[in-house]
Amino acid sequence: MLISQPAPEFDLAPVDHVGVPGLSRADLTDNPAPVVVNVFASWCVPCRAEHAVLTRMVEQGGVRLMGINYKDKPEDARAWLENLGNPYERIGSDLNGRAGIEWGISGVPETFIVSGNGTVLFRYVGPVVGAEAEEKFATALAQARAATGAGT
């Protein structure tokens, strides 16, 4: 578990033809507020259900969302994002799953809250879908924001 630990070292290239930069550990440090890192794949059915929730968090909650596209074909990821919309500020392509191993994921989706200095504060395994899951995640995000003085 990475809770209260620095985010792992990783440096992922962008997903081809998606139009957002890749993702590395350096992107998770020196931020004024916590960021959310979501590990997803186009072949993941629960990821599709979760996508609308994540998009709403970005559009209505001001969440900075970063993505790790896990063991996915770039053309499939691109089509998926074109179909559902792209709420991600950055997406790293983890074709071989190495970054997923570094993050300790057990499957997709998994979603992390990372403090402005790059410390993993919270991990949610499974889709952030449904009232209970969304409330648990929102509470963790509010606590992370309060700890950094970033507001809500």
Side-chain angles (χ1 to χ4, degrees):
M1 292 298 238
L2 293 173
I3 305 305
S4 300
Q5 303 286 325
E9 287 293 336
F10 69 103
D11 189 359
L12 298 172
V15 177
D16 290 340
H17 309 294
V18 170
V20 297
L23 183 65
S24 71
R25 184 182 190 290
D27 300 313
L28 305 179
T29 61
D30 287 332
N31 290 304
V35 297
V36 173
V37 177
N38 174 249
V39 185
F40 73 98
S42 66
W43 47 262
C44 163
V45 174
C47 295
R48 180 175 284 274
E50 177 183 66
H51 193 79
V53 174
L54 297 173
T55 299
R56 189 172 63 248
M57 285 195 295
V58 169
E59 292 175 350
Q60 298 173 4
V63 167
R64 290 186 64 205
L65 181 63
M66 313 292 178
I68 296 175
N69 184 234
Y70 184 71
K71 293 186 174 182
D72 207 355
K73 294 178 184 171
E75 60 273 17
D76 292 346
R78 182 180 67 252
W80 193 78
L81 291 164
E82 286 173 357
N83 182 22
L84 298 177
N86 182 5
Y88 299 96
E89 189 175 312
R90 294 178 161 271
I91 304 171
S93 179
D94 188 18
L95 285 171
N96 65 9
R98 183 72 196 159
I101 291 168
E102 296 297 325
W103 280 87
I105 70 161
S106 56
V108 289
E110 288 198 23
T111 309
F112 300 84
I113 298 172
V114 180
S115 72
N117 69 4
T119 301
V120 177
L121 301 175
F122 182 78
R123 174 185 186 186
Y124 194 88
V125 177
V128 181
V129 174
E132 186 178 325
E134 290 180 47
E135 178 63 28
K136 184 175 184 177
F137 196 85
T139 298
L141 185 57
Q143 290 170 345
R145 286 174 165 171
T148 62
T152 56

